[in-house]
Amino acid sequence: MKHLVSIRDLTRESAHALLTLAQEMSQVNERSIKKLPTLRGRTVVNLFFENSTRTRVSFEIAAKRLSADVINVAAETSSVSKGESLKDTAQTLEALGADCIVLRHPSSGAAQQLAGMGWIGASVINAGDGTHEHPTQALLDALTMQQTFGQDLSSLRVLIVGDIKHSRVARSNVLLLTLLGAKVELAGPESLLPKELGALGASVSHNLDDSLVSQPDVVMMLRVQRERMVENFQADESEYIKQWGLSRARLATLSNQAIIMHPGPINRGLEISPEAAEHPRSKILEQVKNGLAVRMAVLYQVLSEEA
Ligand code: CP
């Protein structure tokens, strides 16, 4: 695997293999010495044009655990702020020795452009591009589901709720979970749930309470992405909480086996109540932890001579 730009880069077999490797990496992370020599001499650059806590930090720790050199570049403190293009920035980083560029960018398709235009020979990993995809998030979500329900996700019913329109997490999750055989339902207001997502293989609902009646195994709440909304969302917040928030009352309708997920960062009290975020069945911090193992697996696959 040279690049990971989209879940579409994976087959069912390669996705399972990556998840198995990630599970092995999570065992490395339980050891007292959490380090492998695999990527010694390789250089990973985290090039982030958007803010991030989980993805950026976990890619940095993942690269260090595999003994790679790792450099973090935030676009606003780089020469991007002087007008340098993505192409020139990437070529500069490669000239400085980058073997892999982990890219977060506000434009959908930026990672594909960087991987496919022939500008650089380095590998490209998509760490989130606009509203398009966030493949390592979907992989860490699938790993979290496997750890709860077992490796075979083909009988799993996953409900993804909220601001689907702006969510690269939702797109990557629909692609990966349907590839692995799970049944996915998307629930959100019509204004935040574009019809074309149904064509990816998920069913679509515009009523959360109706969707909860069928007792999904996984309820994945999505962050309301105010920063991507053209219109001001403020006035609609109380209505959103009423219609789409995972409230204490809705929490009580879930089966005892169901898990609650959220990619983070959460808008506490908006799409998810504090009771839901901190519920014993909430996997939010497990997801964060699994991000490290998944990113180790992806870096290994992309950069290791042995992979
Ligand atoms: N889930 C996620 O991508 O979080 P960050 O924006 O903090 O990386």
Side-chain angles (χ1 to χ4, degrees):
M1 191 166 82
K2 166 93 175 162
H3 307 291
L4 179 61
V5 166
S6 162
I7 291 297
R8 293 182 200 274
D9 297 337
L10 302 174
T11 61
R12 184 185 286 222
E13 291 68 33
S14 63
H16 270 298
L18 255 179
L19 290 167
T20 302
L21 183 59
Q23 186 56 44
E24 287 164 20
M25 293 299 181
S26 67
Q27 281 149 21
V28 171
N29 290 331
E30 297 301 321
R31 294 186 199 157
S32 55
I33 298 174
K34 304 172 174 59
K35 199 124 176 150
L36 296 174
T38 323
L39 299 186
R40 213 159 35 197
R42 312 288 263 163
T43 300
V44 174
V45 176
N46 288 325
L47 176 58
F48 276 54
F49 287 74
E50 279 185 345
N51 293 339
S52 164
T53 300
R54 292 150 200 77
T55 313
R56 200 202 61 72
V57 174
S58 60
F59 264 114
E60 179 175 354
I61 300 174
K64 287 179 171 166
R65 294 245 164 120
L66 297 174
S67 305
D69 295 321
V70 57
I71 309 294
N72 298 305
V73 180
E76 75 264 23
T77 55
S78 74
S79 289
V80 169
S81 67
K82 301 173 197 161
E84 193 163 45
S85 67
L86 177 60
K87 175 182 174 180
D88 290 332
T89 302
Q91 287 181 340
T92 299
L93 295 171
E94 187 169 55
L96 290 167
D99 297 298
C100 175
I101 294 182
V102 177
L103 179 70
R104 172 166 287 192
H105 201 284
S107 300
S108 302
Q112 183 58 57
Q113 190 180 38
L114 187 58
M117 292 296 282
W119 296 337
I120 53 170
S123 292
V124 176
I125 299 174
N126 184 2
D129 62 326
T131 59
H132 176 229
E133 276 216 51
H134 194 351
T136 57
Q137 177 71 43
L139 286 161
L140 75 87
D141 290 338
L143 181 63
T144 306
M145 292 176 208
Q146 283 187 328
Q147 288 172 350
T148 310
F149 297 105
Q151 270 210 302
D152 180 6
L153 300 183
S154 63
S155 59
L156 210 65
R157 290 164 310 129
V158 180
L159 177 64
I160 303 179
V161 183
D163 181 1
I164 314 273
K165 179 179 173 181
H166 300 104
S167 179
R168 51 199 178 205
V169 174
R171 275 173 185 72
S172 288
N173 261 296
V174 171
L175 288 169
L176 181 60
L177 290 168
T178 54
L179 183 69
L180 299 176
K183 198 162 163 259
V184 184
E185 179 153 299
L186 300 171
E190 286 188 38
S191 60
L192 294 178
L193 179 39
K195 284 193 177 58
E196 75 264 17
L197 273 166
L200 295 179
S203 58
V204 166
S205 155
H206 297 300
N207 186 308
L208 176 55
D209 294 310
D210 285 353
S211 296
L212 290 173
V213 168
S214 61
Q215 301 266 287
D217 303 299
V218 177
V219 179
M220 184 186 293
M221 304 306 294
L222 297 176
R223 182 171 70 88
V224 175
Q225 299 194 34
R226 295 184 182 97
E227 76 278 17
R228 293 193 206 278
M229 293 185 186
V230 180
E231 67 281 12
N232 186 356
F233 182 71
Q234 197 89 33
D236 301 326
E237 281 194 6
S238 57
E239 191 54 28
Y240 189 90
I241 295 167
K242 205 161 110 196
Q243 301 287 339
W244 298 103
L246 188 56
S247 59
R248 193 187 299 199
R250 288 193 174 111
L251 203 52
T253 70
L254 302 185
S255 86
N256 291 337
Q257 277 69 47
I259 61 170
I260 300 153
M261 298 179 71
H262 191 305
I266 64 174
N267 291 310
R268 197 174 275 259
L270 178 53
E271 71 268 359
I272 188 164
S273 63
E275 292 84 359
E278 286 164 22
H279 193 272
R281 303 288 299 169
S282 165
K283 298 288 175 185
I284 295 172
L285 293 177
E286 289 298 310
Q287 290 172 264
V288 175
K289 194 171 163 192
N290 283 331
L292 180 53
V294 157
R295 286 159 185 143
M296 287 169 76
V298 170
L299 286 170
Y300 179 90
Q301 280 291 339
V302 164
L303 284 176
S304 170
E305 309 278 322
E306 298 149 32

